[in-house]
């Protein structure tokens, strides 16, 4: 018989998700035909089951900016010192890089003030960083396609929100080296200033770091240090994974000869040109997309969640403080969503557990492109409950950031959508407003 949770077959409740598996569906067809339901009725039931993959209603969507084309990534930093995270986004098809000023909770539901900091064809990523140590946040952007370049967008000391004061320069030795996909600021060599971790995709792609001279504006003197060949980098994060006080490199490669999620061990400031030891975290040999760190089980160790194409999440459990021991659990994406792309970790419903928020590509209607998974008591063994966020609008989403944008005490979802041109957007958590915790990247 048909019930709220699925089908009752011979005393066993067959869930909607189970009923969609080939062998289970075949058994179900045989059973229902015996009780007088035809094939068309059965197929209607199965389609209905798939439609019920996500529970709840779509969240209200607010538009930060929808005036260009191909919004690709949302990276955070407080550029004006007001304690609110501001946003930088590259618009790939629009060839525009913009910084958005967080207007605060009272005005967050309106379009945000912004400044265009440069025009870059095929821009894939942009990140905020004070490159020259003048106390003002500049931008480093990465470009793929035919552009194949890395740019620094130098911010003015005055009139930050006026386009006229910004100046863009390309790093000469980066031009045509590879299709640049992602960059992350960090500190590696113990010297004053910052270094830039970066990587690309396709022919000649590498993961490496830019050694920045004391005079950071002398871009001709920037030196590239390759660490590892790549197929197609998705995430790059600087984090001390082994607790020795220096920054290691956490990353995902979706297309390389050795794809998956890995970290490279910092060899020490005096040995940076020696090989960096590579450690596997999870998703080995799979198409690993974006990653996010977070303590999924409350044991004080940061675990790693990885979105994996075509349709699963790898939850990688950190087993000790060395970062060398991990276990892995697979969570299949729920019915009714697109292909796996982005991932975020945070307490969405205020119950003290770390939930997951996922974003998708290939989410043509009626599929949803953004959803969340409610955490069970045991995240490594029990089932995660799938819930709606975006509804069917939007096709190709990207990075996700979790933060309380409307000041009501719960985590909202900031992301972008580039195929249906929804732009830079955020979804308002409909919860009752409980102070919660989330994990975001820069």
């Amino acid at each position: 018989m048909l019930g709220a949770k699925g089908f009752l077959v011979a005393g066993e409740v067959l869930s909607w998700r189970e009923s969609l598996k080939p062998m289970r569906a075949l058994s179900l067809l045989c059973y229902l035909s015996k009780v007088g339901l035809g094939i068309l009725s059965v197929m209607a039931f199965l389609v209905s089951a798939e439609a019920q993959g996500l529970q709840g209603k779509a969240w209200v969507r607010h538009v930060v900016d929808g005036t260009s084309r191909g919004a690709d990534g949302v990276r955070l930093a407080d550029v004006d010192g007001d304690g609110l995270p501001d946003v930088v986004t590259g618009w790939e098809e629009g060839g525009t890089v913009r910084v958005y000023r967080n207007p605060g909770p009272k005005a967050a539901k309106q379009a945000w003030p912004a400044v265009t900091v440069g025009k870059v064809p095929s821009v894939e990523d942009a990140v905020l960083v004070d490159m020259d140590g003048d106390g003002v946040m500049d931008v480093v952007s990465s470009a793929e396609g035919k552009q194949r370049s890395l740019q620094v967008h130098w911010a003015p000391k005055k009139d930050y929100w006026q386009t006229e004061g910004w100046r863009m320069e390309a790093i000469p030795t980066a031009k045509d080296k590879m299709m640049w996909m992602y960059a992350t600021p960090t500190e590696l060599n113990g010297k004053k200033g910052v270094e830039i971790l970066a990587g690309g995709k396709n022919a000649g792609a590498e993961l490496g770091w830019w050694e920045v001279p004391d005079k950071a504006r002398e871009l001709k003197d920037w030196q590239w240090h390759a660490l590892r060949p790549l197929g197609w980098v998705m995430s790059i994060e600087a984090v001390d994974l082994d607790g020795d006080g220096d920054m290691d490199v956490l990353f995902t490669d979706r297309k390389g000869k050795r794809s998956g999620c890995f970290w490279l061990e910092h060899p020490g400031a005096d040995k940076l040109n020696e090989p960096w030891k590579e450690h596997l975290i999870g998703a080995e040999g799979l198409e690993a997309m974006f990653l996010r760190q977070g303590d999924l089980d409350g044991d004080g160790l940061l675990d790693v969640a990885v979105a994996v194409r075509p349709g699963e999440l790898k939850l990688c459990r950190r087993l000790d403080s060395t970062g060398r021991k991990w276990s892995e659990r697979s969570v299949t994406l729920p019915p009714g969503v697109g292909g796996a792309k982005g991932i975020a970790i945070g307490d969405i419903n205020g119950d003290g557990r770390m939930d997951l928020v996922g974003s998708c590509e290939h989410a043509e209607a009626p599929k949803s492109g953004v959803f969340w998974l409610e955490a069970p008591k045991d995240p490594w063994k029990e089932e995660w409950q799938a819930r709606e966020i975006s509804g069917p609008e939007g096709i190709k989403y990207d990075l996700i950031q979790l933060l309380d944008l409307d000041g009501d005490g719960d985590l909202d979802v900031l992301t972008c959508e580039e195929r249906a041109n929804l732009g830079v957007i955020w979804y308002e958590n409909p919860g009752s407003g409980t102070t919660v915790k989330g994990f975001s990247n820069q």
Side-chain angles (χ1 to χ4, degrees), residues 163-420:
T163 297
E164 293 75 14
W166 287 79
R167 183 165 60 90
M168 184 181 76
E169 291 182 285
I171 302 170
T173 51
K175 179 62 177 173
D176 291 328
K177 190 174 187 64
M178 68 186 86
M179 292 188 185
W180 297 96
M181 297 296 291
Y182 204 89
T184 295
T186 187
E187 197 288 312
L188 297 175
N189 59 11
K191 299 178 181 179
K192 184 180 179 181
V194 297
E195 288 76 55
I196 299 293
L197 292 164
K201 74 174 185 179
N202 296 349
E206 296 173 325
L207 173 64
W209 61 282
W210 287 98
E211 183 177 359
V212 180
D214 292 339
K215 296 181 179 180
R217 289 181 177 250
E218 298 293 330
L219 297 184
K220 68 181 186 304
D221 295 330
W222 286 34
Q223 296 183 29
W224 174 250
H225 301 273
L227 297 176
R228 179 195 194 271
L230 291 170
W232 185 337
V233 77
M234 290 297 293
S235 288
I236 306 173
E237 295 190 7
V239 57
D240 183 7
L241 275 162
D242 52 7
D244 63 357
D246 51 32
M247 291 293 104
D248 307 302
V249 182
L250 173 64
F251 69 98
T252 49
D253 185 2
R254 64 183 284 191
K255 289 289 189 180
K257 292 182 178 179
R258 191 170 183 235
S259 63
C261 179
F262 305 89
W263 67 279
L264 298 178
E265 184 176 348
H266 192 298
D270 58 341
K271 300 178 181 179
L272 289 176
N273 291 322
E274 297 182 9
W276 293 40
K277 188 174 182 180
E278 183 170 292
H279 304 277
L280 172 68
I281 292 178
E284 184 176 17
L286 302 177
E287 193 167 353
M289 306 295 279
F290 288 118
L291 68 84
R292 185 61 53 85
Q293 297 182 85
D295 186 0
L296 291 173
D297 51 12
D299 64 356
L301 299 174
L302 289 180
D303 310 299
V304 176
V306 184
V308 177
R309 286 189 69 190
E312 65 179 320
L313 305 175
K314 291 292 186 181
L315 307 185
C316 303
R317 184 180 190 180
R318 184 169 175 165
L319 301 178
D320 66 9
S321 60
T322 70
R324 294 175 176 84
K325 296 181 180 180
W326 302 81
S327 65
E328 181 182 282
R329 180 197 177 176
S330 294
V331 176
T332 302
L333 293 195
V337 304
K341 181 72 178 289
I343 185 70
I345 299 173
D347 184 2
I348 296 299
N349 58 359
D351 64 357
R353 301 173 190 159
M354 290 296 105
D355 307 303
L356 301 172
V357 178
S359 69
C360 300
E361 55 189 7
H362 305 299
E364 291 84 0
K367 295 178 180 178
S368 292
V370 186
F371 62 95
W372 70 283
L373 300 179
E374 184 178 355
K377 291 182 179 180
D378 186 343
W380 311 112
K381 295 181 180 179
E382 299 177 15
E383 185 175 359
W384 295 69
Q385 297 298 317
R387 306 195 184 282
E388 181 68 270
I389 290 183
S390 69
E393 292 82 9
I395 298 171
K396 185 179 181 182
Y397 292 84
D398 204 77
L399 280 172
I400 306 167
Q401 306 290 356
L402 303 182
L403 59 167
D404 182 8
L405 289 171
D406 53 5
D408 64 355
D410 52 30
L411 291 175
D412 305 303
V413 176
L414 174 71
T415 186
C416 59
E417 197 282 331
E418 59 178 303
R419 188 61 54 80

Side-chain angles (χ1 to χ4, degrees), residues 12-49:
E12 176 188 6
V13 175
L14 185 60
S15 71
W16 297 113
R17 182 177 297 175
E18 285 292 316
S19 72
L20 293 172
K21 294 181 179 179
M23 293 306 296
R24 298 293 248 169
L26 181 59
S27 299
L28 182 62
L29 284 168
C30 294
Y31 170 79
L32 291 178
S33 64
K34 288 181 180 180
V35 298
L37 291 178
I39 295 296
L40 290 178
S41 297
V42 173
M43 295 309 298
F45 283 148
L46 292 181
V47 170
S48 175

